[in-house]
Amino acid sequence: MLLPFADSNNTMLCLQSVDTPMLAFVVLDPFALLPTYRPDLQPDELKRFDVQSEEQLYFYVLCTTRTPISSSTVNLRCPIVINPNTLIARQVFLDTDEYEMRHLLSSFDNDGGKPC
């Protein structure tokens, strides 16, 4: 289940296991962090999701939370991809050097240029 955090406008969610209650991950909307984020899936991946283009899918990135929160990281290289119509979901590896697996959360601008 995807459960939004209060006051996050659905940009920060908890990906909660329904079978294992203690298993949960913090996921973020990558487009809220980085408006220029452009995940480019390979044709075979699009076929697995039963879609023609990435625009038909939802993307979330995993966040590894640390203290202080500014040292937390997000994985832009391997997003969680969901087809909202079929509910097929997978983590995919983007074949690009543009995104890394550990982007510091503090490196993104939020709310008009203020650091996250």
Side-chain angles (χ1 to χ4, degrees):
M1 291 189 312
L2 279 171
L3 307 169
F5 284 89
D7 300 324
S8 73
N9 293 327
N10 289 327
T11 60
M12 181 170 43
L13 303 104
C14 177
L15 180 58
Q16 175 69 56
S17 170
V18 294
D19 294 327
T20 309
M22 296 301 294
L23 182 60
F25 300 94
V26 174
V27 296
L28 303 172
D29 175 352
F31 305 102
L33 292 172
L34 186 65
T36 59
Y37 186 65
R38 296 292 176 258
D40 185 24
L41 300 183
Q42 299 299 314
D44 62 323
E45 292 170 325
L46 291 172
K47 186 176 179 178
R48 281 188 221 133
F49 284 104
D50 195 26
V51 296
Q52 300 298 314
S53 72
E54 291 86 359
E55 289 80 24
Q56 297 171 271
L57 301 168
Y58 293 159
F59 289 82
Y60 298 97
V61 293
L62 291 167
C63 181
T64 302
T65 56
R66 295 190 170 89
T67 303
I69 197 71
S70 61
S71 64
S72 297
T73 59
V74 293
N75 183 346
L76 294 177
R77 185 87 180 256
C78 305
I80 305 289
V81 183
I82 302 171
N83 179 328
N85 297 317
T86 64
L87 300 181
I88 294 172
R90 291 184 176 89
Q91 185 174 26
V92 301
F93 183 85
L94 300 178
D95 188 21
T96 179
D97 292 331
E98 187 173 354
Y99 306 117
E100 297 178 22
M101 292 183 187
R102 291 181 188 91
H103 286 269
L104 277 175
L105 192 57
S106 61
S107 70
F108 297 100
D109 286 339
N110 184 19
D111 194 30
K114 297 176 184 172
C116 290

